[in-house]
Amino acid sequence: MIDPRETLREGDALLVIDVQNDFCPGGALEIPEGHKIIPPLNKWIAAARELGVPIYASRDWHPERHPSFEPHGGPWPPHCVQDTEGAAFHDEVDVGDAIVVTKGTRFDKDQYSAFDETGLAEELRRRGIKRVWIGGLAQDVCVKATAIDAAKAGFETHVLPEATLPVTPEGGAEAVAEMRKAGVTIES
Ligand SMILES: [Zn+2]
């Protein structure tokens, strides 16, 4: 595992993707052992804060009847419904002072990526960000989509393998291959 204090520098941003109750054990769309990414992620968050590196925390924030929900034609059980406990950030993830990026609020489509029509790429460019470091849930869904979009938007993109987990191991392996193909660096 690389040391965040030795790694982060000016021009970096940390992106914490969807560390919400519904994606952790006991949640509506639980990722097996999803909560285990929180301690390593918190080390990155603490280092970022110390070094003045901006921290953005995305959240899936669905209206009731969202089209990604099975009863409304989507692939997922209902999850992260706005203002519910399931949509809240996990108690242990240290994102109290992070800038929140909200996605998944539209009725016409889902948004897996924190960059999908959120204006995040423009925001990061305005701040002079060149590199992004990404962790969170799930590796094979929203982390993958966010990392690929970050690389496409021209950011040097790194995913922290100890700070992300997939819905399924097979999905995780495919996600790693797809992200690498898109130019994302996955530290090992
Ligand atoms: Zn969702």
Side-chain angles (χ1 to χ4, degrees), residues 23 60 62 68 79 110:
F23 296 129
D60 220 16
H62 297 313
S68 76
H79 62 280
D110 203 358

Side-chain angles (χ1 to χ4, degrees), residues 18 20 23 29 59-62 66 68-69 76-80 103-104 110-112 141-142:
D18 298 10
Q20 292 165 275
F23 296 129
L29 182 37
R59 62 179 181 179
D60 220 16
W61 195 248
H62 297 313
H66 189 255
S68 76
F69 296 169
W76 306 110
H79 62 280
C80 296
K103 63 186 180 61
D110 203 358
Q111 292 149 288
Y112 289 162
V141 188
C142 292

Side-chain angles (χ1 to χ4, degrees), residues 9-185:
R9 60 179 195 225
E10 201 181 331
D12 286 354
L14 181 63
L15 310 183
V16 178
I17 305 302
D18 298 10
V19 186
Q20 292 165 275
N21 289 325
D22 270 345
F23 296 129
C24 292
L29 182 37
E30 59 184 347
I31 284 116
E33 309 203 302
H35 64 297
K36 290 201 171 162
I37 68 159
I38 295 174
L41 199 46
N42 279 344
K43 284 187 191 156
W44 281 83
I45 293 168
R49 188 176 291 133
E50 219 178 275
L51 297 166
V53 164
I55 305 160
Y56 291 81
S58 71
R59 62 179 181 179
D60 220 16
W61 195 248
H62 297 313
E64 284 180 35
R65 302 180 46 80
H66 189 255
S68 76
F69 296 169
E70 277 159 357
H72 308 293
W76 306 110
H79 62 280
C80 296
V81 174
Q82 294 169 5
D83 294 313
T84 62
E85 190 52 33
F89 290 121
H90 192 287
D91 273 349
E92 287 159 28
V93 69
D94 185 17
V95 288
D97 57 353
I99 298 169
V100 175
V101 180
T102 295
K103 63 186 180 61
T105 60
R106 299 173 58 134
F107 286 106
D108 57 341
K109 62 167 200 166
D110 203 358
Q111 292 149 288
Y112 289 162
S113 163
F115 287 93
D116 187 359
E117 296 183 16
T118 60
L120 180 59
E122 293 73 9
E123 156 74 359
L124 296 180
R125 280 188 204 114
R126 273 197 301 269
R127 293 186 78 157
I129 301 301
K130 306 280 186 238
R131 303 195 301 182
V132 295
W133 300 82
I134 302 175
L137 299 169
Q139 184 189 33
D140 47 347
V141 188
C142 292
V143 167
K144 177 181 87 175
T146 299
I148 290 173
D149 276 357
K152 271 191 202 155
F155 299 103
E156 185 188 315
T157 304
H158 299 258
V159 169
L160 308 166
E162 75 278 12
T164 185
L165 279 169
V167 180
T168 64
E170 304 74 42
E174 278 170 35
V176 166
E178 276 180 68
M179 288 190 281
R180 286 194 166 134
K181 204 171 152 202
V184 174
T185 302

